[in-house]
Amino acid sequence: MPQGPEPRTRYRGNQEDAGRAPDLIAARTISTRPVFVSEPDPDNPGWVRWNLSDPTRYNGTTLGDLILRQEGDKVRLRLTPAHRHTNLLDSIHGGVLLGLADVSLFATARTLLGEHLAGGVTLDLSCQFIGAGRVGAPLDAVGEVLRETGRMVFMRGLIEQEGATIAAFSAALRKPSHRV
């Protein structure tokens, strides 16, 4: 009896999947390996590293190494800005500030709610740029959860540098439909 075409998967794979059987690739989920590297930072007591286990993704290639600490009902995510984070005015590029705000949303939700939001999405992110950030001093996104529902998390935060507010943001996240 003739059989139909082989089933296709939506997952296209990556370099690690080269040469693997399609059914093994399709069966693999992101939860089979750690998504984040979250361990104490020996250079910064009281802080933990907050990086993706795959450094070739956006967080690692664009933002670089991040550290995090919980401060009561808020979470502080720290970026040490470098020249690559600047615009032509030698200020921190607005895209870097937005990226830091977005990453801080997921770091904050995971830290405060214990939610594994990998696979969740930012539905709305509003940002007001208030001042210019600069290279040479840590840049902190300080986030908090305003409300959590079954499918959504509403949040807000500030981006600060040496006590000055650089930007303010608010956002809504949609939780993933499955645990990752």
Side-chain angles (χ1 to χ4, degrees), residues 16-166:
E16 294 175 2
D17 294 325
R20 290 189 184 167
D23 57 330
L24 293 177
I25 295 169
R28 188 185 72 176
T29 64
I30 198 167
S31 62
T32 61
R33 59 181 156 167
V35 177
F36 298 98
V37 174
S38 183
E39 59 193 15
D41 185 351
D43 299 328
N44 297 286
W47 293 79
V48 296
R49 293 180 177 159
W50 183 262
N51 297 305
L52 293 176
S53 57
D54 179 353
T56 65
R57 296 196 182 271
Y58 174 82
N59 295 20
T61 61
T62 303
L63 297 177
D65 291 333
L66 302 170
I67 58 175
L68 171 145
R69 75 173 177 209
Q70 185 173 347
E71 299 175 348
D73 61 350
K74 296 181 180 177
V75 173
R76 182 174 300 269
L77 184 67
R78 177 166 286 175
L79 164 72
T80 302
H83 179 74
R84 69 183 175 155
H85 297 119
T86 62
N87 57 26
L88 294 175
L89 300 173
D90 284 328
S91 298
I92 303 303
H93 193 284
V96 171
L97 298 175
L98 284 168
L100 179 62
D102 188 62
V103 171
S104 80
L105 298 172
F106 291 87
T108 298
R110 183 167 181 169
T111 302
L112 296 178
L113 304 175
E115 288 286 334
H116 299 281
L117 293 178
V121 295
T122 306
L123 293 178
D124 177 66
L125 174 57
S126 175
C127 186
Q128 298 76 45
F129 300 102
I130 298 169
R134 60 181 176 71
V135 172
L139 196 60
D140 295 342
V142 183
E144 65 181 320
V145 174
L146 299 174
R147 182 169 183 227
E148 177 188 18
T149 68
R151 296 288 294 145
M152 305 281 290
V153 181
F154 299 90
M155 307 172 78
R156 70 177 171 196
L158 298 173
I159 298 178
E160 303 171 340
Q161 191 173 50
E162 295 185 318
T165 301
I166 305 302

